Tab-separated table of all heavy atoms in Angstrom:
chain	number	residue	atom	x	y	z
A	994	GLU	N	89.763	105.563	103.791
A	994	GLU	CA	90.999	105.901	102.830
A	994	GLU	C	92.267	105.875	103.582
A	994	GLU	O	93.319	105.451	102.984
A	994	GLU	CB	90.651	107.347	102.324
A	994	GLU	CG	89.528	107.377	101.302
A	994	GLU	CD	89.314	108.777	100.779
A	994	GLU	OE1	89.812	109.783	101.448
A	994	GLU	OE2	88.590	108.953	99.748
A	995	ALA	N	92.299	106.411	104.778
A	995	ALA	CA	93.571	106.429	105.561
A	995	ALA	C	94.082	104.999	105.880
A	995	ALA	O	95.297	104.749	105.768
A	995	ALA	CB	93.345	107.240	106.818
A	996	ALA	N	93.173	104.113	106.211
A	996	ALA	CA	93.564	102.762	106.526
A	996	ALA	C	94.096	102.041	105.283
A	996	ALA	O	95.164	101.314	105.287
A	996	ALA	CB	92.337	101.944	107.027
A	997	ILE	N	93.573	102.261	103.988
A	997	ILE	CA	94.056	101.681	102.882
A	997	ILE	C	95.347	102.247	102.381
A	997	ILE	O	96.318	101.496	102.081
A	997	ILE	CB	92.985	101.801	101.801
A	997	ILE	CG1	91.740	101.053	102.063
A	997	ILE	CG2	93.571	101.299	100.384
A	997	ILE	CD1	90.553	101.289	101.090
A	998	LEU	N	95.452	103.566	102.393
A	998	LEU	CA	96.644	104.182	101.863
A	998	LEU	C	97.829	104.153	102.807
A	998	LEU	O	98.908	104.526	102.542
A	998	LEU	CB	96.350	105.571	101.557
A	998	LEU	CG	95.343	105.823	100.299
A	998	LEU	CD1	95.077	107.224	100.110
A	998	LEU	CD2	95.844	105.150	99.068
A	999	SER	N	97.594	103.642	104.059
A	999	SER	CA	98.697	103.473	105.105
A	999	SER	C	99.647	102.352	104.643
A	999	SER	O	100.744	102.308	105.077
A	999	SER	CB	98.157	103.255	106.480
A	999	SER	OG	97.457	102.085	106.511
A	1000	ARG	N	99.157	101.467	103.710
A	1000	ARG	CA	99.928	100.306	103.288
A	1000	ARG	C	100.842	100.867	102.014
A	1000	ARG	O	100.279	101.403	101.075
A	1000	ARG	CB	99.065	99.137	102.957
A	1000	ARG	CG	98.260	98.696	104.116
A	1000	ARG	CD	97.369	97.532	103.927
A	1000	ARG	NE	96.863	97.173	105.175
A	1000	ARG	CZ	97.308	96.363	106.156
A	1000	ARG	NH1	98.542	95.806	105.868
A	1000	ARG	NH2	96.730	96.107	107.133
A	1001	LYS	N	102.125	100.460	102.126
A	1001	LYS	CA	103.070	101.073	101.187
A	1001	LYS	C	102.823	100.757	99.752
A	1001	LYS	O	103.185	101.458	98.876
A	1001	LYS	CB	104.514	100.716	101.649
A	1001	LYS	CG	104.817	99.162	101.591
A	1001	LYS	CD	106.225	98.944	102.007
A	1001	LYS	CE	106.576	97.496	101.895
A	1001	LYS	NZ	106.546	96.918	100.510
A	1002	ASP	N	102.258	99.569	99.416
A	1002	ASP	CA	102.057	99.093	98.092
A	1002	ASP	C	100.729	99.653	97.536
A	1002	ASP	O	100.495	99.435	96.348
A	1002	ASP	CB	102.152	97.693	97.982
A	1002	ASP	CG	103.578	97.187	98.255
A	1002	ASP	OD1	104.533	97.852	97.859
A	1002	ASP	OD2	103.754	95.963	98.832
A	1003	PHE	N	99.936	100.342	98.313
A	1003	PHE	CA	98.595	100.735	97.775
A	1003	PHE	C	98.825	102.216	97.479
A	1003	PHE	O	98.921	103.072	98.415
A	1003	PHE	CB	97.538	100.571	98.801
A	1003	PHE	CG	97.215	99.094	99.155
A	1003	PHE	CD1	96.400	98.750	100.189
A	1003	PHE	CD2	97.742	98.060	98.299
A	1003	PHE	CE1	96.034	97.439	100.412
A	1003	PHE	CE2	97.449	96.781	98.619
A	1003	PHE	CZ	96.643	96.482	99.764
A	1004	VAL	N	98.720	102.581	96.141
A	1004	VAL	CA	99.065	104.003	95.772
A	1004	VAL	C	97.921	104.954	95.486
A	1004	VAL	O	97.979	106.071	95.305
A	1004	VAL	CB	99.987	103.920	94.542
A	1004	VAL	CG1	101.307	103.320	94.834
A	1004	VAL	CG2	99.282	103.218	93.291
A	1005	GLY	N	96.679	104.302	95.422
A	1005	GLY	CA	95.536	105.134	95.200
A	1005	GLY	C	94.232	104.273	95.304
A	1005	GLY	O	94.293	103.122	95.235
A	1006	ILE	N	93.112	104.910	95.539
A	1006	ILE	CA	91.804	104.303	95.681
A	1006	ILE	C	90.834	105.128	94.835
A	1006	ILE	O	90.925	106.251	94.626
A	1006	ILE	CB	91.348	104.093	97.054
A	1006	ILE	CG1	90.999	105.488	97.687
A	1006	ILE	CG2	92.368	103.441	97.901
A	1006	ILE	CD1	90.339	105.327	99.044
A	1007	HIS	N	89.743	104.301	94.363
A	1007	HIS	CA	88.618	105.005	93.745
A	1007	HIS	C	87.434	104.011	93.727
A	1007	HIS	O	87.565	102.911	94.253
A	1007	HIS	CB	88.987	105.371	92.259
A	1007	HIS	CG	89.535	104.271	91.449
A	1007	HIS	ND1	88.704	103.254	90.795
A	1007	HIS	CD2	90.756	103.797	91.207
A	1007	HIS	CE1	89.401	102.422	90.192
A	1007	HIS	NE2	90.834	102.664	90.396
A	1008	ASP	N	86.355	104.484	93.217
A	1008	ASP	CA	85.036	103.691	93.253
A	1008	ASP	C	84.763	103.137	94.579
A	1008	ASP	O	84.360	102.005	94.637
A	1008	ASP	CB	85.210	102.609	92.206
A	1008	ASP	CG	85.250	103.160	90.766
A	1008	ASP	OD1	84.829	104.306	90.605
A	1008	ASP	OD2	85.716	102.398	89.918
A	1009	LEU	N	84.851	103.963	95.596
A	1009	LEU	CA	84.450	103.474	96.999
A	1009	LEU	C	82.961	103.578	97.084
A	1009	LEU	O	82.429	104.660	96.892
A	1009	LEU	CB	85.114	104.391	97.996
A	1009	LEU	CG	84.732	104.096	99.492
A	1009	LEU	CD1	84.925	102.677	99.874
A	1009	LEU	CD2	85.413	105.028	100.496
A	1010	ILE	N	82.281	102.465	97.456
A	1010	ILE	CA	80.813	102.475	97.593
A	1010	ILE	C	80.487	101.787	98.895
A	1010	ILE	O	80.959	100.775	99.269
A	1010	ILE	CB	80.144	101.651	96.379
A	1010	ILE	CG1	80.384	102.264	95.090
A	1010	ILE	CG2	78.591	101.600	96.676
A	1010	ILE	CD1	79.950	101.419	93.913
A	1011	VAL	N	79.670	102.508	99.674
A	1011	VAL	CA	79.349	102.031	101.067
A	1011	VAL	C	77.839	101.852	101.102
A	1011	VAL	O	77.025	102.748	100.834
A	1011	VAL	CB	79.714	102.910	102.214
A	1011	VAL	CG1	79.352	102.361	103.566
A	1011	VAL	CG2	81.282	103.206	102.172
A	1012	HIS	N	77.356	100.637	101.532
A	1012	HIS	CA	76.005	100.320	101.598
A	1012	HIS	C	75.577	100.144	103.093
A	1012	HIS	O	76.281	99.467	103.831
A	1012	HIS	CB	75.545	98.991	100.899
A	1012	HIS	CG	75.782	99.067	99.402
A	1012	HIS	ND1	74.948	99.648	98.620
A	1012	HIS	CD2	76.847	98.671	98.660
A	1012	HIS	CE1	75.409	99.576	97.306
A	1012	HIS	NE2	76.575	98.973	97.360
A	1013	ASN	N	74.441	100.807	103.535
A	1013	ASN	CA	74.013	100.754	104.944
A	1013	ASN	C	72.834	99.937	105.019
A	1013	ASN	O	71.757	100.253	104.508
A	1013	ASN	CB	73.860	102.243	105.439
A	1013	ASN	CG	73.433	102.283	106.906
A	1013	ASN	OD1	73.104	101.290	107.514
A	1013	ASN	ND2	73.515	103.427	107.437
A	1014	TYR	N	72.924	98.728	105.762
A	1014	TYR	CA	71.683	97.917	105.948
A	1014	TYR	C	71.225	97.955	107.330
A	1014	TYR	O	70.697	96.972	107.833
A	1014	TYR	CB	72.044	96.480	105.529
A	1014	TYR	CG	72.184	96.294	103.968
A	1014	TYR	CD1	73.428	96.486	103.402
A	1014	TYR	CD2	71.097	96.056	103.300
A	1014	TYR	CE1	73.565	96.331	102.026
A	1014	TYR	CE2	71.136	95.878	101.929
A	1014	TYR	CZ	72.435	96.035	101.178
A	1014	TYR	OH	72.564	95.893	99.880
A	1015	GLY	N	71.604	99.026	108.022
A	1015	GLY	CA	71.095	99.285	109.424
A	1015	GLY	C	72.254	99.379	110.270
A	1015	GLY	O	73.424	99.157	109.858
A	1016	PRO	N	72.007	99.988	111.487
A	1016	PRO	CA	73.214	100.232	112.437
A	1016	PRO	C	74.121	98.963	112.635
A	1016	PRO	O	73.582	97.879	112.813
A	1016	PRO	CB	72.580	100.570	113.724
A	1016	PRO	CG	71.182	101.086	113.307
A	1016	PRO	CD	70.819	100.396	112.083
A	1017	GLY	N	75.377	99.158	112.454
A	1017	GLY	CA	76.276	98.032	112.579
A	1017	GLY	C	76.262	97.038	111.426
A	1017	GLY	O	76.884	96.049	111.530
A	1018	ARG	N	75.610	97.392	110.324
A	1018	ARG	CA	75.622	96.515	109.157
A	1018	ARG	C	76.074	97.317	107.899
A	1018	ARG	O	75.196	97.575	107.022
A	1018	ARG	CB	74.287	95.994	108.995
A	1018	ARG	CG	73.820	95.090	110.090
A	1018	ARG	CD	72.369	94.703	110.069
A	1018	ARG	NE	71.901	93.935	111.091
A	1018	ARG	CZ	71.590	94.258	112.255
A	1018	ARG	NH1	71.587	95.633	112.575
A	1018	ARG	NH2	71.099	93.505	113.195
A	1019	LEU	N	77.318	97.596	107.861
A	1019	LEU	CA	77.898	98.393	106.680
A	1019	LEU	C	78.745	97.480	105.773
A	1019	LEU	O	79.595	96.710	106.193
A	1019	LEU	CB	78.765	99.478	107.154
A	1019	LEU	CG	78.206	100.570	108.040
A	1019	LEU	CD1	79.160	101.595	108.552
A	1019	LEU	CD2	77.077	101.376	107.214
A	1020	PHE	N	78.508	97.516	104.450
A	1020	PHE	CA	79.196	96.831	103.501
A	1020	PHE	C	79.731	97.769	102.476
A	1020	PHE	O	79.074	98.666	102.002
A	1020	PHE	CB	78.212	95.732	102.826
A	1020	PHE	CG	77.614	94.701	103.770
A	1020	PHE	CD1	76.535	94.979	104.491
A	1020	PHE	CD2	78.188	93.539	103.927
A	1020	PHE	CE1	76.000	94.186	105.344
A	1020	PHE	CE2	77.673	92.501	104.799
A	1020	PHE	CZ	76.568	92.859	105.616
A	1021	ALA	N	80.890	97.407	101.957
A	1021	ALA	CA	81.535	98.440	101.159
A	1021	ALA	C	82.469	97.720	100.097
A	1021	ALA	O	82.882	96.570	100.290
A	1021	ALA	CB	82.429	99.376	101.852
A	1022	SER	N	82.722	98.372	98.992
A	1022	SER	CA	83.710	97.854	97.955
A	1022	SER	C	84.432	99.055	97.490
A	1022	SER	O	84.057	100.171	97.459
A	1022	SER	CB	83.001	97.204	96.783
A	1022	SER	OG	82.167	98.079	96.186
A	1023	VAL	N	85.797	98.735	96.975
A	1023	VAL	CA	86.590	99.745	96.685
A	1023	VAL	C	87.636	99.226	95.633
A	1023	VAL	O	88.040	98.107	95.723
A	1023	VAL	CB	87.329	100.528	97.795
A	1023	VAL	CG1	88.309	99.531	98.502
A	1023	VAL	CG2	88.065	101.820	97.416
A	1024	HIS	N	88.130	100.109	94.789
A	1024	HIS	CA	89.180	99.691	93.925
A	1024	HIS	C	90.466	100.328	94.388
A	1024	HIS	O	90.515	101.559	94.715
A	1024	HIS	CB	88.988	100.238	92.466
A	1024	HIS	CG	87.860	99.508	91.714
A	1024	HIS	ND1	87.936	99.127	90.342
A	1024	HIS	CD2	86.741	99.039	92.186
A	1024	HIS	CE1	86.825	98.520	90.066
A	1024	HIS	NE2	85.990	98.372	91.215
A	1025	VAL	N	91.594	99.539	94.488
A	1025	VAL	CA	92.814	99.959	94.949
A	1025	VAL	C	93.970	99.872	93.914
A	1025	VAL	O	94.119	98.840	93.314
A	1025	VAL	CB	93.274	99.176	96.250
A	1025	VAL	CG1	94.671	99.560	96.671
A	1025	VAL	CG2	92.244	99.376	97.338
A	1026	GLU	N	94.534	100.970	93.621
A	1026	GLU	CA	95.710	100.902	92.581
A	1026	GLU	C	97.042	100.444	93.277
A	1026	GLU	O	97.413	100.911	94.249
A	1026	GLU	CB	95.868	102.356	91.983
A	1026	GLU	CG	94.614	102.839	91.296
A	1026	GLU	CD	94.782	104.243	90.802
A	1026	GLU	OE1	95.837	104.960	91.140
A	1026	GLU	OE2	93.805	104.784	90.153
A	1027	VAL	N	97.690	99.462	92.512
A	1027	VAL	CA	98.862	98.891	92.990
A	1027	VAL	C	99.812	98.871	91.841
A	1027	VAL	O	99.344	98.907	90.709
A	1027	VAL	CB	98.684	97.398	93.599
A	1027	VAL	CG1	97.783	97.520	94.752
A	1027	VAL	CG2	98.158	96.520	92.560
A	1028	PRO	N	101.090	98.780	92.112
A	1028	PRO	CA	102.124	98.716	90.994
A	1028	PRO	C	101.890	97.392	90.185
A	1028	PRO	O	101.625	96.299	90.741
A	1028	PRO	CB	103.535	98.698	91.800
A	1028	PRO	CG	103.231	99.425	92.970
A	1028	PRO	CD	101.786	98.979	93.395
A	1029	GLN	N	101.992	97.521	88.914
A	1029	GLN	CA	101.647	96.359	88.036
A	1029	GLN	C	102.650	95.207	88.214
A	1029	GLN	O	102.417	94.048	87.805
A	1029	GLN	CB	101.597	96.778	86.556
A	1029	GLN	CG	102.809	97.404	85.883
A	1029	GLN	CD	102.653	97.772	84.524
A	1029	GLN	OE1	101.583	98.035	84.025
A	1029	GLN	NE2	103.744	97.810	83.761
A	1030	ASP	N	103.927	95.533	88.653
A	1030	ASP	CA	104.884	94.503	88.852
A	1030	ASP	C	104.996	93.911	90.275
A	1030	ASP	O	105.933	93.238	90.606
A	1030	ASP	CB	106.265	95.121	88.482
A	1030	ASP	CG	106.651	96.381	89.253
A	1030	ASP	OD1	105.794	96.771	89.979
A	1030	ASP	OD2	107.840	96.874	89.066
A	1031	ILE	N	103.994	94.249	91.018
A	1031	ILE	CA	103.942	93.737	92.463
A	1031	ILE	C	103.695	92.244	92.519
A	1031	ILE	O	103.107	91.573	91.469
A	1031	ILE	CB	102.859	94.429	93.160
A	1031	ILE	CG1	102.941	94.160	94.682
A	1031	ILE	CG2	101.404	93.953	92.767
A	1031	ILE	CD1	101.914	95.001	95.490
A	1032	ASN	N	104.205	91.543	93.463
A	1032	ASN	CA	104.017	90.104	93.669
A	1032	ASN	C	102.462	89.962	94.033
A	1032	ASN	O	102.017	90.335	95.108
A	1032	ASN	CB	104.927	89.639	94.804
A	1032	ASN	CG	104.789	88.119	95.031
A	1032	ASN	OD1	103.763	87.676	95.487
A	1032	ASN	ND2	105.793	87.362	94.748
A	1033	ILE	N	101.873	89.176	93.225
A	1033	ILE	CA	100.349	89.030	93.412
A	1033	ILE	C	100.032	88.337	94.819
A	1033	ILE	O	99.095	88.767	95.423
A	1033	ILE	CB	99.770	88.191	92.321
A	1033	ILE	CG1	100.070	88.890	90.947
A	1033	ILE	CG2	98.259	87.891	92.430
A	1033	ILE	CD1	99.261	90.196	90.792
A	1034	VAL	N	100.739	87.351	95.156
A	1034	VAL	CA	100.503	86.726	96.358
A	1034	VAL	C	100.705	87.584	97.557
A	1034	VAL	O	99.814	87.658	98.475
A	1034	VAL	CB	101.318	85.418	96.473
A	1034	VAL	CG1	101.089	84.788	97.923
A	1034	VAL	CG2	101.208	84.375	95.435
A	1035	GLU	N	101.744	88.380	97.544
A	1035	GLU	CA	101.914	89.300	98.643
A	1035	GLU	C	100.875	90.419	98.658
A	1035	GLU	O	100.498	90.816	99.700
A	1035	GLU	CB	103.351	89.903	98.495
A	1035	GLU	CG	104.486	88.952	98.708
A	1035	GLU	CD	105.811	89.582	98.675
A	1035	GLU	OE1	105.832	90.866	98.262
A	1035	GLU	OE2	106.909	88.972	98.774
A	1036	CYS	N	100.473	90.808	97.431
A	1036	CYS	CA	99.442	91.834	97.314
A	1036	CYS	C	98.077	91.367	97.988
A	1036	CYS	O	97.326	91.975	98.634
A	1036	CYS	CB	99.364	92.287	95.959
A	1036	CYS	SG	98.116	93.702	95.744
A	1037	HIS	N	97.783	90.114	97.602
A	1037	HIS	CA	96.558	89.537	98.041
A	1037	HIS	C	96.577	89.436	99.645
A	1037	HIS	O	95.523	89.631	100.293
A	1037	HIS	CB	96.397	88.148	97.374
A	1037	HIS	CG	95.090	87.551	97.749
A	1037	HIS	ND1	94.912	86.626	98.788
A	1037	HIS	CD2	93.840	87.615	97.228
A	1037	HIS	CE1	93.668	86.206	98.941
A	1037	HIS	NE2	92.994	86.777	97.931
A	1038	GLU	N	97.686	89.136	100.076
A	1038	GLU	CA	97.779	88.908	101.590
A	1038	GLU	C	97.597	90.302	102.222
A	1038	GLU	O	96.937	90.418	103.191
A	1038	GLU	CB	99.180	88.361	101.942
A	1038	GLU	CG	99.380	88.290	103.554
A	1038	GLU	CD	100.808	87.752	103.816
A	1038	GLU	OE1	101.570	87.474	102.940
A	1038	GLU	OE2	101.043	87.641	105.079
């Protein structure tokens, strides 16, 4: 959460899911809220 919200254009997160497939094998997905008028290319970067 701290790593994501440290970026100025990311205003909130939710639906964080972490899957553990063994030590050193962590996979995750998360939804990040961004301003709707943000530049899509810059946001993707």
Side-chain angles (χ1 to χ4, degrees):
E994 290 178 343
I997 294 174
L998 296 177
S999 65
R1000 299 181 177 273
K1001 64 181 181 66
D1002 290 326
F1003 296 170
V1004 295
I1006 69 172
H1007 55 85
D1008 291 342
L1009 174 59
I1010 302 175
V1011 180
H1012 298 281
N1013 183 344
Y1014 288 91
R1018 297 169 178 84
L1019 295 176
F1020 298 84
S1022 61
V1023 67
H1024 289 220
V1025 175
E1026 296 176 355
V1027 299
Q1029 64 182 20
D1030 55 355
I1031 193 173
N1032 183 292
I1033 297 298
V1034 175
E1035 292 180 1
C1036 183
H1037 184 267
E1038 181 181 358

